[in-house]
Amino acid sequence: MNLKELATKLGLSPTTVSRALNGYPEVNEATRERVMAAAKRHNYRPNTRAIRLATGRALAVGHVIPLATRHEIVNPIFADFIAGAGETYSRNGYDMILSVVPDESEEQAYRDLKSRGSADGVILHAPRMNDSRIPLLHEIGIPFVVHGRATGTDLPYSWVDVNNRRAFQRATEFLLDLGHLRIGLVNGLEFMDFAIRRRTGYVDALAARGLSPDPALMASDEMTEISGYRAASAMLDLPAPPTAFLVASMISGMGVRRAIEERGLRMGRDISVIIHDDDLSYMKNGDDVPIFTATRSSVRDAGRIAADLLLGIIANPGHGPEHRLLEAELIIGQSTGPAPRPHAPEKA
Amino acid sequence: MNLKELATKLGLSPTTVSRALNGYPEVNEATRERVMAAAKRHNYRPNTRAIRLATGRALAVGHVIPLATRHEIVNPIFADFIAGAGETYSRNGYDMILSVVPDESEEQAYRDLKSRGSADGVILHAPRMNDSRIPLLHEIGIPFVVHGRATGTDLPYSWVDVNNRRAFQRATEFLLDLGHLRIGLVNGLEFMDFAIRRRTGYVDALAARGLSPDPALMASDEMTEISGYRAASAMLDLPAPPTAFLVASMISGMGVRRAIEERGLRMGRDISVIIHDDDLSYMKNGDDVPIFTATRSSVRDAGRIAADLLLGIIANPGHGPEHRLLEAELIIGQSTGPAPRPHAPEKA
DNA sequence: TGCATCATCCAAAGCGGTTTGAGTGTGATT
DNA sequence: AATCACACTCAAACCGCTTTGGATGATGCA
């Protein structure tokens, strides 16, 4: 059932039927209702392909996922972000198209999205420092929103980000207030923008108390269980081990916990741990009482917001870049406690 | 730059240019090369929207993701599956479109995909017993491939699945061979087809040794860290606790390990654990030596295969349903060992 | 030489919608 | 009664490509 058939059945022209269905004013209300009813009765759905061609809009948003040798993007955080963004898209009649491409053809993927007209805009994931994709998207001339920020770029762009610096600064202060002086940082890869900001927050908080960061207490790697385990193990085996850890994700946090418990120590009593919690749907940080003390910010919400921004920009290309800085909450769980009393040299 | 402009520039008709670019035989080789060169020079990309309308094909595959109150699908397994399928799609010039919809409009989402013509086929995720979506997709008349199977449906359909029964049967036998007699099953939700098959494998292996399953040693829940922890904790606190666990996923496995270590026991020595490992890119089960003994099957490969099957069916609608049953490998890690000797009653 | 064959190329008709530019009939205005 | 604005409706062009059904000239063969 297409428009023409429906029009014939109604004894109207396609023009009128199209206008009636799309809410244009120059159609008699009685006619409109008749058309609407017939459309529903015959279960008419306009063909998306035709609409796209006729209107010159793709009605779709692209997400490009490079498949690197190091699979950083296809990760749990990504899945939840997508879920959030997807909600917004389908509510607004947009499709979400995912392009999974080999690392080296990422640039071409963006160009194709534009020149072949299959997306009206894109979301840029996992920005790095001086990310070359931002100038690229500017050059291509396609609306985009960045999930995160890219230090080093002077071009304007829209973004949604968590205040990573502040979150890690607060977490560090919290640990310092508990008396912890040696705090291990188990960070993400530090060519990623968010990881740099987190480290900055950590370093700043230390500096504010007159402490200088110990390179031996700062690790940076992918956020996997294994790498969390390794980083924490190495630090715990130092002559002067940390009494607390600041960890970039829930998953690395599990590795850190394993390293702690493997040494017969107890998390929350002997060693404190704060993680960053993206509030993933299938990786809840406890139900009632959080297991980990955490800086929490829902990445799914970030997805929703990023999608909203992007659709806004697509509908209204004139608008200048927009930003949303989300604050993470610091939630207190069972993994933190006062620093253990230092072994005072026993005096006779 | 569109086809007409390019044709004008070449002094040819759009027909000929189109044919030259698409490799049709009725075009002079010299002309074809001239056209190809010009297309490259002017960086011409045919407009996808027009191709789709003209050919009546969507050149896209849909994945519908219901956003339930219980977010089962937006999970790490899904992300890796998508990555695998996405590779295949982009290699073949297809788009992947993700529809994230509220639980209750899942059916409508499939209908729309078909009637609005935005996908040539779909992949069905996370099938349950007697899954109603299979008859639905048959009725709609859209090609589809199921990731998994749906016990209880007598309609024919194409699928890709891991031999879950055999995998868990072998894992159980392996534990039995090590002398374990009480084996806890920490399963996924048992309205999911894969979970039922896994339990069957477990029960069958026990039965083959004349053992009958103890309901207190069988848990079924979402595959999260917490639920793994809870299930294992409960079982370990039984008067007759298990000496081994069979666990549905890496993530639940971490919870199980936590429960074990929290009780001062050591995984691999005091308690054996076998997990099912989907070989997720960011959740590696150890690099050199696997942490967990596991039944392993790459869900990313499954995604590739499912996509291949689907594109085949789309290109060749006549073909009957196709199946791929993947065998999981049993890999030996550090989490299993012989059952501890039972405390023999001490005789004087 | 005459005619069928073949290799090339093109005009035009779709695909299924949207949108422009007119054309009606009606009631109000003067 | 003539004029005009207004409310509706429609025919046709258009979006950018594919594909059908010729057309043209060169070639092959008798």
Side-chain angles (χ1 to χ4, degrees):
Chain A
M1 172 64 54
N2 60 21
L3 187 71
K4 203 192 291 182
E5 291 169 19
L6 186 63
T8 310
K9 233 178 257 288
L10 282 161
L12 288 170
S13 74
T15 309
T16 304
V17 175
S18 168
R19 285 182 167 151
L21 293 173
N22 292 317
Y24 282 75
E26 57 271 74
V27 165
N28 189 309
E29 267 317 310
T31 312
R32 187 193 305 280
E33 277 165 30
R34 207 157 61 83
V35 171
M36 294 289 219
K40 178 153 293 177
R41 184 154 26 91
H42 294 93
N43 194 29
Y44 167 73
R45 310 256 147 197
N47 183 304
T48 326
R49 298 192 286 259
I51 294 182
R52 296 199 221 264
L53 179 57
T55 61
R57 304 185 305 156
L59 293 172
V61 171
H63 293 244
V64 174
I65 309 167
L67 265 195
T69 15
R70 312 180 79 169
H71 311 268
E72 300 139 22
I73 295 205
V74 185
N75 61 24
I77 283 111
F78 179 75
D80 253 50
F81 182 89
I82 283 296
E87 272 182 70
T88 300
Y89 296 145
S90 47
R91 228 194 342 267
N92 292 77
Y94 270 71
D95 279 344
M96 168 163 64
I97 95 177
L98 250 55
S99 274
V100 179
V101 300
D103 209 16
E104 64 275 13
S105 32
E106 188 175 2
E107 175 174 339
Q108 192 57 48
Y110 284 115
R111 291 194 187 281
D112 282 2
L113 241 31
K114 167 72 175 190
S115 62
R116 317 195 346 163
S118 32
D120 297 319
V122 300
I123 298 266
L124 184 54
H125 294 276
R128 296 181 284 276
M129 279 200 67
N130 303 307
D131 200 306
S132 63
R133 294 172 299 177
I134 291 178
L136 173 69
L137 292 175
H138 259 104
E139 180 214 319
I140 292 179
I142 190 170
F144 68 99
V145 169
V146 181
H147 177 212
R149 281 169 283 178
T151 314
T153 317
D154 48 355
L155 293 166
Y157 60 92
S158 298
W159 51 259
V160 174
D161 199 4
V162 180
N163 196 339
N164 282 299
R165 196 190 57 73
R166 169 110 53 111
F168 267 44
Q169 186 174 7
R170 285 181 62 200
T172 307
E173 284 166 1
F174 180 78
L175 289 171
L176 290 168
D177 288 343
L178 284 171
H180 296 278
L181 290 173
R182 293 185 60 73
I183 302 171
L185 175 69
V186 180
N187 205 358
L189 289 165
E190 290 192 357
F191 56 80
M192 301 297 290
D193 193 84
F194 75 90
I196 298 168
R197 292 178 192 275
R198 288 178 181 179
R199 178 156 58 120
T200 306
Y202 163 82
V203 170
D204 286 357
L206 291 181
R209 305 276 173 112
L211 298 170
S212 61
D214 179 350
L217 293 185
M218 299 196 291
S220 157
D221 198 354
E222 286 192 87
M223 296 180 293
T224 63
E225 204 267 354
I226 289 269
S227 74
Y229 170 77
R230 291 201 179 126
S233 295
M235 292 183 197
L236 288 172
D237 293 340
L238 288 172
T243 60
F245 286 102
L246 196 48
V247 184
S249 86
M250 183 100 181
I251 296 187
S252 348
M254 290 184 178
V256 170
R257 181 176 62 198
R258 178 155 66 97
I260 291 172
E261 285 171 2
E262 195 181 81
R263 281 162 181 74
L265 302 168
R266 178 107 162 273
M267 179 172 84
R269 188 192 59 195
D270 306 310
I271 306 275
S272 288
V273 174
I274 299 185
I275 63 158
H276 181 77
D277 178 4
D278 293 289
D279 204 16
L280 305 180
S281 47
Y282 48 87
M283 189 129 239
K284 286 289 177 204
N285 180 13
D287 282 350
D288 33 9
V289 181
I291 301 172
F292 288 106
T293 295
T295 56
R296 176 187 288 168
S297 173
S298 161
V299 73
R300 184 180 289 239
D301 284 347
R304 285 196 198 94
I305 294 170
D308 275 331
L309 279 194
L310 183 55
L311 294 188
I313 294 170
I314 290 171
N316 223 317
H319 278 226
E322 289 197 65
H323 316 304
R324 290 281 187 291
L325 186 57
L326 312 174
E327 293 298 336
E329 29 176 12
L330 182 58
I331 59 165
I332 309 303
Q334 304 171 312
S335 66
T336 43
R341 299 279 291 284
H343 298 286
E346 297 181 29
K347 284 187 178 165
Chain B
M1 170 66 55
N2 60 20
L3 188 72
K4 201 193 292 184
E5 291 169 20
L6 186 63
T8 311
K9 232 177 257 289
L10 281 160
L12 288 169
S13 75
T15 308
T16 304
V17 176
S18 168
R19 287 183 166 151
L21 293 173
N22 292 318
Y24 283 76
E26 58 270 78
V27 75
N28 190 308
E29 266 318 306
T31 313
R32 187 193 306 281
E33 278 165 29
R34 208 159 59 87
V35 172
M36 295 289 220
K40 179 153 293 176
R41 183 155 25 92
H42 294 94
N43 194 29
Y44 167 72
R45 309 256 149 198
N47 183 304
T48 325
R49 298 193 285 259
I51 294 181
R52 296 199 221 264
L53 180 57
T55 61
R57 305 185 305 156
L59 292 174
V61 171
H63 293 244
V64 173
I65 308 166
L67 265 193
T69 14
R70 312 179 79 169
H71 312 268
E72 300 139 22
I73 294 206
V74 184
N75 61 23
I77 283 109
F78 180 74
D80 253 51
F81 181 90
I82 282 297
E87 272 182 69
T88 299
Y89 297 145
S90 47
R91 229 196 341 267
N92 292 77
Y94 271 71
D95 279 346
M96 169 164 63
I97 96 177
L98 251 55
S99 272
V100 179
V101 300
D103 209 18
E104 64 276 13
S105 33
E106 188 176 359
E107 176 174 340
Q108 192 57 48
Y110 282 115
R111 291 192 186 282
D112 282 2
L113 241 30
K114 167 72 175 191
S115 62
R116 316 194 347 164
S118 33
D120 296 321
V122 301
I123 299 265
L124 183 55
H125 294 276
R128 297 182 285 276
M129 280 199 68
N130 304 307
D131 201 304
S132 64
R133 294 171 298 175
I134 292 180
L136 173 69
L137 292 175
H138 259 104
E139 180 215 319
I140 292 178
I142 190 170
F144 68 100
V145 168
V146 181
H147 178 212
R149 281 169 283 176
T151 313
T153 316
D154 48 355
L155 292 166
Y157 60 91
S158 298
W159 51 260
V160 174
D161 199 4
V162 180
N163 195 339
N164 282 298
R165 196 190 57 73
R166 169 109 54 109
F168 267 44
Q169 185 174 7
R170 286 180 61 200
T172 308
E173 285 166 1
F174 181 78
L175 289 172
L176 290 169
D177 289 343
L178 284 171
H180 296 278
L181 290 173
R182 294 185 61 73
I183 303 171
L185 175 68
V186 181
N187 207 358
L189 290 165
E190 290 193 356
F191 56 79
M192 301 297 290
D193 192 84
F194 75 90
I196 297 169
R197 292 177 191 276
R198 288 177 181 179
R199 178 156 59 120
T200 305
Y202 164 82
V203 170
D204 287 356
L206 291 181
R209 304 274 174 117
L211 298 170
S212 60
D214 179 349
L217 293 185
M218 299 195 290
S220 158
D221 198 354
E222 287 193 86
M223 298 180 292
T224 63
E225 204 266 354
I226 289 270
S227 74
Y229 171 77
R230 289 200 181 129
S233 296
M235 294 184 197
L236 288 172
D237 293 341
L238 288 173
T243 60
F245 286 102
L246 196 47
V247 184
S249 86
M250 182 100 182
I251 296 186
S252 347
M254 290 183 176
V256 170
R257 181 175 62 199
R258 178 156 64 99
I260 291 171
E261 286 170 1
E262 196 182 83
R263 283 163 180 73
L265 302 168
R266 179 108 161 273
M267 180 172 82
R269 189 190 60 191
D270 306 310
I271 306 274
S272 287
V273 174
I274 299 185
I275 63 156
H276 181 77
D277 178 3
D278 292 288
D279 204 17
L280 305 179
S281 47
Y282 48 86
M283 190 129 240
K284 286 289 177 203
N285 179 14
D287 282 349
D288 33 9
V289 181
I291 301 172
F292 288 107
T293 295
T295 57
R296 176 187 287 169
S297 174
S298 161
V299 73
R300 185 181 288 239
D301 284 346
R304 286 196 198 95
I305 295 170
D308 275 331
L309 279 193
L310 184 54
L311 295 188
I313 294 171
I314 290 170
N316 222 316
H319 278 227
E322 290 198 64
H323 316 305
R324 290 279 190 289
L325 186 57
L326 312 174
E327 293 298 335
E329 27 174 14
L330 182 59
I331 59 164
I332 311 302
Q334 304 172 311
S335 66
T336 44
R341 300 280 290 284
H343 297 286
E346 296 181 28
K347 285 187 177 165

